[in-house]
Amino acid sequence: LPRAPPPNALVPAGPAGGAAVGARLELAQWELVPLPTLFEEVFHAHLHARCGRCGIASSQMALCLVCGGLVCVGAKHCHTRHGGGCASHAAACGAHVGVFLLLHTSDVLVRSGARISFWGSPYLDVYGEQDIGLERGRPLHLNVGRYNELRELWLSQGFDHDPTVLEFMQVQSHY
């Protein structure tokens, strides 16, 4: 005899509208792109990479943390009616919401509609400090707690309500 799925399992509807016994429907786990432990690994992996939209290798690239795609940051040749490379990518990838790791600064750019904000970096030095702009030259390590905090903001659609994000929120079209 077929066994019934556990009470908390999601099951697709059967022909009569009821649950099909034994058929399981798996829930998708929404995650941001996994990042390596060291920022320099991300940086070097994409050093000569080309933009997914225009195909040009730029010195200012952004890694979409939703899908892993690369786009130009602030380049005029990547502008569309939606705005810059990040705006165009966010429109296609995340319904105008995007989360991007800026590879030239280690900062995270959050895009929500026509507004952008800089969230900070998920990578910290040994003293627990950010090095936005990569000016100090210390190795930066992924802080899993910060990255999980960013993931929770993305999952809850909380970018428009988070005080840290709202403090730096501005309307921009060139990103």
Side-chain angles (χ1 to χ4, degrees):
L1 283 173
R3 292 182 15 204
N8 61 347
L10 294 178
V11 294
V21 176
R24 294 182 57 112
L25 180 66
E26 298 294 324
L27 289 174
Q29 181 65 40
W30 292 93
E31 294 290 337
L32 292 176
V33 171
L35 292 175
T37 304
L38 291 173
F39 178 74
E40 68 185 67
E41 293 175 25
V42 180
F43 181 82
H44 288 296
H46 299 97
L47 188 59
H48 301 291
R50 297 184 178 277
C51 174
R53 286 195 34 74
C54 68
I56 294 175
S58 171
S59 62
Q60 295 189 351
M61 300 289 282
L63 174 68
C64 175
L65 295 177
V66 176
C67 74
L70 283 174
V71 295
C72 296
V73 177
K76 292 187 187 259
H77 59 265
C78 228
H79 266 43
T80 68
R81 64 183 173 91
H82 295 293
C86 292
S88 299
H89 184 81
C93 177
H96 297 279
V97 175
V99 185
F100 300 92
L101 178 65
L102 302 179
L103 298 177
H104 60 285
T105 66
S106 83
D107 203 358
V108 170
L109 172 77
V110 173
R111 182 155 196 104
S112 181
R115 297 177 315 241
I116 66 153
S117 183
F118 296 95
W119 181 80
S121 178
Y123 286 95
L124 304 177
D125 65 15
V126 294
Y127 301 105
E129 297 175 347
Q130 300 178 64
D131 186 8
I132 303 300
L134 308 175
E135 295 173 356
R136 292 187 297 235
R138 293 185 185 131
L140 299 176
H141 300 271
L142 180 65
N143 183 292
V144 176
R146 282 185 60 82
Y147 199 50
N148 285 337
E149 181 183 330
L150 179 64
R151 177 186 167 270
E152 291 302 317
L153 272 174
W154 171 65
L155 283 175
S156 67
Q157 301 175 5
F159 294 127
D160 292 330
H161 310 289
D162 182 68
T164 305
V165 174
L166 288 174
E167 181 180 353
F168 300 105
M169 189 71 74
Q170 54 188 302
V171 176
Q172 288 283 341
S173 64
H174 70 276
Y175 282 102

